[in-house]
Each structure stands twice: as structure tokens, then as C-alpha cells.
Amino acid sequence: MKKILLFLKYGDWEENSYYRYFQYFNILNQSGFEVKAYPFFSRKIEKTYFHYGKINFLQKIYSYIKRMYVLITEKNFHGVWLDLELFPYIPFELENLFFSIDMPILLDIQNSFYYKYSHGVNYIQKKFLSQKIPLWIARSQVITVSNYEIEGFAKPWNQNIHLLPFGFKESFLPIQKKTQATHEFAIGWTGSRYSSRFLISIFDCLRELKRFFPIKLYLVGGEKSLAYPVKTEIFDWNKEIELSLLSKADILINPLPMTLREKGNPSLKLLKYMTLGLPIITSPSGGAKMYIEHSVNGFIAYSQDDWYLYLRQLLEDEVLRQEFGKQAKLTLETSFNFQNSVDSLVEIFKNVF
């Protein structure tokens, strides 16, 4: 049994971390790999950040000390599975001192948070950290990425890159679909208080559409203080019932800005939408172009006019809504299922470690 140390940002309580890493542990173990996970942030710290948008200084220091202790005390391991970096805002040259030259490293880049070092406003940060992630890419034996945008970013420094989309394990989030006795069209969305601001970009579309259709926003995890332009129902986010709540919607949406941060968004949300068999409209950011084939299993909206047009088409056409939902679910089941992802990951592990 080979012991592999996984250094990641959050533990299995965080959705992206679960689907990107923890759901594969049992099968990796059956394949001869014992993975020991060491999240940088504790669950308490992650909850603090989720609710208040910041982490206090002592919490940050504790996270750095905890990880350094692990790096110093862990012995007799065969390789490292690394989520982007070891320590935020620490130069690569210092991080790399913890590993021998021949230590095999599998670097995973699931989002575009690497932009914070090369495109920030802090001059000192850009001077000393702008090449941090490229150096990790060059140092690692293999790179796994979640979408095409990140693949394009990594290729100049390492050609051994594997596109490894999120594999959605539907059984983790059971669905208890319930129909609503209403004549309103429910436009569903799920996210956080932070990402709620992205909904503002389609407020004008919704104002216009409500003149012709009885519509409402049906939000899981939305910010309650926003001035929504149509009737809105907001539910607290809860992963155990998230899909059950979303299943009551008629159309599911994913508006995102075309920022550096969102261009590399892994778009796990879209996979959850697809498993519900409901029609989807999404911005082109992140993994959208990988999961959604425009006008086949959903719509990709590039502009405000697109959002209005595609929402109106789906509101007017029940057959189209059903066809898009059917095709989206089929795409998920055939191309982005758990088994496809785990087969690829096991093969990568065998080649690296």
C-alpha cells in the first residue's frame, strides 16, 4: 500500500473538495493507495468565512502552523497530491524545500484562483509570487485540470496535463422531487451570498419577462437583502436537500461574469443541474462549454439579449424544456459520471506513484 499525502484547502464538508478528492478515496484504496488528507482550513474557519466573508489573523496563523507541523512530522510517504499550492502567499522556492527532488507530485488545479498572484494590484505580491503556480506546474510530474481554460493556462509550463472533469456521484445528494401546485414559472438557482451578486446581471431581463409571464426566482442560498425585480423565494443552502429544492424549478440558471476568477470556475453547479433533468441556461464561463452543448442540452448566453431570448424561448416552449432536460441528464450519465472520472484518476495515480 502506497501512502499519498493530499494537501488541499478544505475538508470533505466543502462541496468542491468532496467531489474533487474525497469521493475517490475508497476506490483509490482498493487500487493500492492510502490517501491521507490534510485540509489547510478547518471546518470552523471555513464556516466563519462563508458567513462573514473573512478570516481573522489568528485563524490564518493557526492554519499555517498546522500545515507546517504535518510537513515536518509526516514520514515514509510515497508521493504528494497537491491542490494548487502548499501555503497561500508563500513563494514556491520555500514551499519546495519540504520535498526531496525525486518526490513525485500530482498537482491538481480545479479553479483559476492562481490569477490572484499574477493579476493583483499588490506590487510586492506580483513581483515575488507571479510565477509561483507556473513553477509548481513545471515541478510536478502530472497536472490534472477541471476544464479547458485551466488546461490552456498550464500547457506552456508542462505538457503532461490531463483534463479531469468533476465526476458527479448522484447518490451523495438524494433527490426527492416534489411538484408545486402553481401557475408560476420558477427560475431556479443555487449558490452563496457572494455569488448572489451575479444574478444582478439578468435583473433587467427578468423585469421585462415578468410583463408577459408569471415568473419567480427560486433561490437556494441567495442573499436576502438584494432588491430582486420579481417575486423571489429564498431557502437556506443545505447540501442534503439542495437538489430536492431545485427539482421544483422549471428552468435552472447560472449567470457568471467573464472575470479571471470565474473563467476557470469548475462549474460543479452545472453537473448538479444536469442530474435533475431540467433545462439550463448558463454563462460561458468555466466548464460551461465542456458540459453544455448550445441548443442541444441547454443554452449558453453571452449577452443580456441572449439571456432574454433564451429565457423567453424556454418559458414559451414546454417541449423544448423537456428535451433540454432529457439531453442534459443523458450527457451527465454518459460523459461526466463518477466511474469515468475514477477510472482516469486511478490510471494517473498508477503512472505517477
Side-chain angles (χ1 to χ4, degrees):
M1 184 75 71
K2 292 183 177 180
K3 183 167 76 171
I4 308 301
L5 304 187
L6 168 59
F7 294 103
L8 69 169
K9 192 172 184 180
Y10 299 117
D12 59 357
W13 60 85
E14 197 267 339
E15 189 174 54
N16 283 328
S17 294
Y18 174 83
Y19 281 109
R20 194 66 182 168
Y21 306 110
F22 290 92
Q23 70 170 342
Y24 301 117
F25 279 17
N26 286 339
I27 295 181
L28 286 171
N29 187 270
Q30 295 169 16
S31 301
F33 301 99
E34 177 194 3
V35 180
K36 296 187 68 175
Y38 292 103
F40 187 77
F41 292 120
S42 68
R43 186 166 193 173
K44 180 180 178 181
I45 293 176
E46 193 269 340
K47 283 184 175 180
T48 300
Y49 182 78
F50 182 82
H51 289 293
Y52 302 106
K54 59 183 179 181
I55 302 171
N56 68 44
F57 180 74
L58 291 178
Q59 288 176 323
K60 290 180 181 178
I61 294 298
Y62 171 76
S63 297
Y64 279 88
I65 293 174
K66 180 181 65 173
R67 175 152 291 184
M68 189 169 295
Y69 175 79
V70 170
L71 287 164
I72 293 172
T73 58
E74 267 289 2
K75 306 294 182 184
N76 302 320
F77 55 95
H78 298 84
V80 171
W81 192 5
L82 183 61
D83 177 11
L84 191 64
E85 59 186 344
L86 276 175
F87 298 96
Y89 302 102
I90 299 296
F92 163 82
E93 290 79 4
L94 295 179
E95 291 184 327
N96 196 39
L97 291 175
F98 288 101
F99 303 129
S100 62
I101 296 176
D102 59 349
M103 176 61 64
I105 293 177
L106 169 58
L107 179 68
D108 180 61
I109 309 178
Q110 60 167 299
N111 56 47
S112 58
F113 283 5
Y114 48 77
Y115 82 96
K116 63 187 177 182
Y117 295 133
S118 56
H119 291 80
V121 297
N122 188 308
Y123 171 78
I124 295 177
Q125 180 176 302
K126 284 198 290 187
K127 181 175 178 61
F128 291 100
L129 298 174
S130 62
Q131 291 301 303
K132 175 181 180 176
I133 305 307
L135 287 170
W136 267 120
I137 294 172
R139 158 70 176 87
S140 303
Q141 275 67 34
V142 173
I143 318 299
T144 53
V145 298
S146 65
N147 61 49
Y148 301 131
E149 294 282 352
I150 302 173
E151 183 181 35
F153 165 77
K155 272 189 175 179
W157 297 284
N158 195 324
Q159 292 297 306
N160 198 2
I161 298 173
H162 291 263
L163 180 64
L164 188 71
F166 276 72
F168 193 75
K169 196 173 184 180
E170 182 180 333
S171 60
F172 179 67
L173 293 173
I175 305 169
Q176 298 175 349
K177 185 172 178 62
K178 297 179 182 178
T179 58
Q180 296 192 110
T182 176
H183 297 294
E184 295 174 314
F185 289 103
I187 300 175
W189 172 92
T190 183
S192 65
R193 292 174 60 186
Y194 171 84
S195 58
S196 294
R197 71 187 73 178
F198 303 149
L199 292 168
I200 297 174
S201 65
I202 64 168
F203 277 7
D204 287 343
C205 299
L206 296 174
R207 288 189 186 95
E208 183 66 17
L209 287 166
K210 77 175 181 179
R211 297 173 53 209
F212 308 101
F213 304 95
I215 60 175
K216 69 176 180 180
L217 282 174
Y218 193 80
L219 312 180
V220 181
E223 172 56 61
K224 297 179 181 179
S225 65
L226 287 179
Y228 297 102
V230 298
K231 178 181 176 181
T232 304
E233 288 187 59
I234 302 178
F235 301 87
D236 291 335
W237 186 88
N238 183 313
K239 71 180 180 181
E240 278 77 24
I241 61 172
E242 179 186 27
L243 290 188
S244 294
L245 290 171
L246 287 173
S247 70
K248 300 175 185 178
D250 298 289
I251 300 168
L252 296 169
I253 59 173
N254 181 44
L256 288 172
M258 289 301 290
T259 61
L260 290 170
R261 181 182 189 273
E262 299 304 331
K263 281 178 70 175
N265 189 304
S267 300
L268 176 61
K269 180 190 300 187
L270 290 179
L271 292 179
K272 291 191 290 185
Y273 285 179
M274 292 165 76
T275 199
L276 292 170
L278 292 171
I280 299 165
I281 307 176
T282 179
S283 298
S285 302
K289 294 179 182 178
M290 187 164 57
Y291 302 134
I292 302 300
E293 185 178 354
H294 182 67
S295 295
V296 175
N297 64 354
F299 283 130
I300 298 179
Y302 289 83
S303 66
Q304 292 298 304
D305 288 343
D306 285 349
W307 275 102
Y308 177 80
L309 174 64
Y310 300 149
L311 278 168
R312 180 153 192 156
Q313 280 187 247
L314 289 174
L315 290 168
E316 291 177 334
D317 193 336
E318 181 179 359
V319 174
L320 183 62
R321 294 199 301 271
Q322 292 175 348
E323 179 62 19
F324 274 11
K326 175 183 175 182
Q327 291 300 322
K329 190 172 179 65
L330 180 63
T331 300
L332 174 70
E333 292 172 346
T334 56
S335 301
F336 301 103
N337 60 64
F338 172 78
Q339 194 58 51
N340 287 352
S341 294
V342 76
D343 289 345
S344 297
L345 187 61
V346 168
E347 186 65 26
I348 291 169
F349 262 63
K350 290 179 178 179
N351 290 334
V352 177
F353 305 119

